[in-house]
Amino acid sequence: MLTKKQLDLLEFIHRRVQRDGVPPSFDEMKEALDLRSKSGIHRLITALEERGFIRRLAHRARAIEIVKLPDALQAKTVFRPVVVDGKAPPPTRHKVASRPAASPAGARDITIHAIELPVMGRIAAGVPIEAISEVSHTVAVPGQMIGKGHHYALEVQGDSMIEAGINNGDVVVIREQDTADDGDIVVALVGGQEATLKRFRRRGRTIALEAANPAYETRLFRDDQVKVQGRLVGLIRTY
């Protein structure tokens, strides 16, 4: 049995995850519940976790996962569009999939928010291949994987990022952006014609695109030869 404040907080977190793909911050929770301090939010979060409604994931910001919902809460789906390279891809479709929630008293169905992203073709995890910009199909992605911003997906071809856990045939989820920090795995457009998936390093006015496979050499380019088109935020693998 949840208190009103616990139920209100769980509903607020659920709605924000559906809308944004990420849970709200503690400051946003405090404001939404009209509490004077974040310590009250910590107590509510702890109570929800102890009752098995949420799970906190270690070493990640805003890492709150909804495990189950009480019968009093009705799942609501929020629709939001996805735009890639300024073009309108096929309409983004949102799905609600059911799965049983683990519970010692027996399983009950809850809803998991999913978003369909456009798959823009294949990306080389090896020697760069010709840049891809055509939508080939769509793929359903868990809403928790998608944060703010525009996203798209690419099929991986090659094994140069295998030691980063990216295999040939995987589908990578990319947040569209034109900047990157050292160590980010990015989609890089080289010379305006070839695209590749590599780890990004800046060395003065030189850009290093590093493979995660000793069989491939690091490639160096002038900074004006490389354009970042997005950063890796997720991966989907089919067995």
Side-chain angles (χ1 to χ4, degrees), residues 90-93 116-119 135-140:
T92 301
R93 294 187 292 275
E116 287 199 5
L117 293 183
V119 179
V135 176
S136 61
H137 58 284
T138 61
V139 62

Side-chain angles (χ1 to χ4, degrees), residues 60-88:
R60 289 176 55 189
R62 298 195 186 189
I64 298 174
E65 179 185 14
I66 294 179
V67 177
K68 63 180 180 179
L69 293 173
D71 295 336
L73 288 184
Q74 296 295 325
K76 297 181 177 69
T77 303
V78 177
F79 294 86
R80 61 190 179 90
V82 177
V83 178
V84 179
D85 292 333
K87 303 174 183 177

